[in-house]
Amino acid sequence: MPKFAEFGSNLYTGKTSLPFIPKKKLWLGISAVLVIIAVLIPVVTGGFKMGIDFRGGSEFTVSDSQSTDVQTGKDAVSKHASASETEVTKIASDTVRVQTEQLSDDDTLAVKQALQKAYDVKADDVTSSYVGPTWGEGVTRQATWGLIAFVVLATVGMALYFRTVKMSLSAIAGLLFTVITTAGIYALVGFEVTPSAIIGFLTILSYSLYDSVVVFDKIRENTKGYRENTKTTFAEEVNLAVNQTLVRSINTSVVGILPVGSILFIGAFLLGAGTLQDLSLALFIGIIMGTLGTLFVSAPLYALLRQGEKPIKEQAERVRQGVADTDAADSGAEISEGTTSGSTRAFGDGSASAGAESAQEGRRSDRGGRRSADSPTPRYDPSGRDKPDNGAVI
C-alpha cells in the first residue's frame, strides 16, 4: 500500500508519467480493433440470446422443489409438447425456470402437470405465463429509443458543460466503446438479454460518463491558459491530467467491481441465483471497459482532435524553441567555464575558478526555477532532464 501511494503521488507530480497521450494513435488503433471484434462476435455466434421478454413465448416457474436438475425439466417438456427450443435455468436453490416457444393452451396445461410430477411439487408451486411477440417488440423498441435519447442528451449536456464540442464527442466515443465491447463480451458468454441487462447497460453508460467528466475536468484545469505556458505543451498537460486522475479512476473502478463481482460470482454461480447473471455481468464488464474507454479512447481522442489547431501548434513550437535556447545557453556557459578554469590554472588563481563554478551553479539553479516557478504543480519533462521530486497528496 505505501508503494501504491508513492506511485500515485509520483503520477500526480509528474515524476512518473504513463504515455496515454504520446502513444495515442496506438491506443486508439487497439480500441478500434476491439470494437470491430465486438461487432463481429454476434455475427459469428448467431446473434444475441434474447430473453422471453423480447422474443415472446411461454414460461413456467417451479418453486419449493427438492431437485433443481435442469435435464428433468427438459425431459418433462419434450414428452408433452412439441417445443423445438426449451431452456431450463436454476434461478434459486429450490426454484427452476422453464422457457419455451409459444405453446397452445392444451400443451401449456400438459407441461405444467408434467413439471409438477417431475419435480414432485404441489400444483400451486408451478406457475405459467405467456409473453406475446407484440410485447417483446414493444420492449425492444422502447429500449432502443431510450439508448438513443440518452446518447443525444449526454452529447448536448457534455458540450454545454465543457463548452467545447470536441471534448463532448471524445467522451461519447469512449461511451460507445464501452457499450459495444460490453455487448460483444455479453454475446460471447451467451447470457440472455433481459430487461435487467438493459438496465445494467444504461447504468454503465452513466458510469462511463462520470469517469470521463472527472478526467476532462482535470484536463480543462491543466490546459487553462496554455497559450502563455512556455514550459510544457498542450499534449503534455493533457497527459499529466490523465496521470493525475489515474489513481482515482482505479479506486472508483475497484469499489464498483467488488460488490458487483460478489453478486456475479458468489450469488449467480455459487448460490445459483440465475436471475442476477444478466444484470451483474453487464455491470461487471461495463465498469472495467468504462474505465479503459476513458483512459485509452476519450482522452487520447481529445488530444488527437486538437493537435492540428493553429494555437496549439504554435504553443508547442514555442515550448520546443525555449527548451532549445536553454540547452544552447547552458552549453555555452559550460564551455566558458572550461576556458576560464584553464586560464586560472595557468596563472595559479584558484579563487577565479571557484567563482566561475559558483556562477555556473547559479545559472543551473536559475534554469530549474524558471521551469517551475509559474506552475501550481510540478510538470514533467519528456526528455527526463527535469524530474520533480516533491510529493503530493492525492
Side-chain angles (χ1 to χ4, degrees):
M1 185 61 67
K3 291 184 177 180
F4 182 73
E6 181 181 356
F7 174 71
S9 179
N10 291 339
L11 287 175
Y12 194 88
T13 60
K15 188 175 183 179
T16 300
S17 179
L18 301 181
F20 293 104
I21 305 305
K23 295 185 178 182
K24 55 183 176 294
K25 293 184 178 180
L26 173 63
W27 307 132
L28 291 175
I30 294 176
S31 301
V33 172
L34 291 177
V35 168
I36 294 174
I37 294 175
V39 172
L40 293 178
I41 287 177
V43 178
V44 175
T45 58
F48 293 96
K49 186 178 181 181
M50 307 303 292
I52 192 173
D53 297 281
F54 294 96
R55 69 175 188 269
S58 299
E59 180 177 276
F60 302 87
T61 302
V62 182
S63 316
D64 198 21
S65 174
Q66 297 297 324
S67 172
T68 56
D69 181 64
V70 172
Q71 191 60 42
T72 300
K74 291 183 178 181
D75 294 339
V77 174
S78 61
K79 292 179 181 179
H80 296 84
S82 58
S84 58
E85 296 182 1
T86 301
E87 180 180 348
V88 182
T89 307
K90 176 184 176 182
I91 60 177
S93 58
D94 61 348
T95 305
V96 176
R97 181 182 63 193
V98 180
Q99 294 179 335
T100 68
E101 60 192 50
Q102 180 181 354
L103 301 177
S104 64
D105 293 340
D106 293 338
D107 286 342
T108 299
L109 180 60
V111 169
K112 183 176 180 180
Q113 293 175 348
L115 290 173
Q116 175 190 348
K117 183 177 180 180
Y119 285 104
D120 191 21
V121 295
K122 299 178 181 179
D124 294 340
D125 293 330
V126 181
T127 59
S128 62
S129 59
Y130 168 72
V131 178
T134 303
W135 168 264
E137 292 176 1
V139 172
T140 303
R141 182 172 58 255
Q142 292 178 3
T144 303
W145 279 111
L147 178 61
I148 294 174
F150 182 92
V151 172
V152 172
L153 292 176
T155 304
V156 175
M158 295 280 286
L160 294 176
Y161 178 74
F162 290 111
R163 300 178 183 177
T164 169
V165 177
K166 293 181 178 180
M167 190 170 282
S168 175
L169 293 178
S170 300
I172 297 302
L175 182 148
L176 294 178
F177 168 82
T178 302
V179 174
I180 294 174
T181 52
T182 303
I185 297 175
Y186 206 90
L188 181 64
V189 174
F191 282 5
E192 278 191 348
V193 179
T194 64
S196 297
I198 299 301
I199 294 173
F201 277 99
L202 293 177
T203 303
I204 64 174
L205 293 182
S206 301
Y207 177 86
S208 178
L209 283 182
Y210 166 77
D211 200 37
S212 297
V213 168
V214 171
V215 175
F216 282 159
D217 263 335
K218 192 61 180 177
I219 291 176
R220 183 171 59 174
E221 176 185 337
N222 284 10
T223 57
K224 184 178 181 181
Y226 72 91
R227 297 188 184 187
E228 290 76 27
N229 187 355
T230 59
K231 303 174 183 64
T232 52
T233 64
F234 179 87
E236 291 172 350
E237 291 292 347
V238 174
N239 192 67
L240 178 62
V242 179
N243 278 271
Q244 288 176 329
T245 54
L246 178 60
V247 172
R248 177 173 180 176
S249 297
I250 294 175
N251 290 338
T252 305
S253 300
V254 171
V255 170
I257 286 175
L258 287 178
V260 174
S262 300
I263 295 174
L264 178 61
F265 296 104
I266 298 178
F269 292 148
L270 298 182
L271 301 181
T275 53
L276 301 175
Q277 290 181 350
D278 42 13
L279 174 63
S280 57
L281 179 65
L283 290 175
F284 186 83
I285 301 299
I287 290 175
I288 297 175
M289 300 310 297
T291 302
L292 296 179
T294 300
L295 298 175
F296 296 101
V297 178
S298 297
L301 181 59
Y302 175 66
L304 182 65
L305 291 176
R306 298 206 59 183
Q307 71 176 9
E309 295 181 8
K310 185 177 179 180
I312 291 179
K313 295 171 68 174
E314 292 176 349
Q315 188 264 346
E317 183 60 31
R318 288 195 301 269
V319 172
R320 284 191 292 268
Q321 187 61 41
V323 173
D325 292 344
T326 303
D327 290 342
D330 288 345
S331 298
E334 290 173 0
I335 294 174
S336 175
E337 177 189 357
T339 303
T340 304
S341 178
S343 298
T344 54
R345 282 195 299 271
F347 288 98
D349 188 359
S351 61
S353 175
E357 292 177 358
S358 177
Q360 174 64 10
E361 191 65 31
R363 283 192 295 270
R364 290 175 180 171
S365 177
D366 181 60
R367 177 194 172 197
R370 289 196 304 270
R371 296 282 294 174
S372 60
D374 300 330
S375 179
T377 58
R379 298 293 190 257
Y380 67 97
D381 183 4
S383 64
R385 288 186 300 270
D386 298 316
K387 293 289 186 180
D389 55 4
N390 58 312
V393 179
I394 297 181

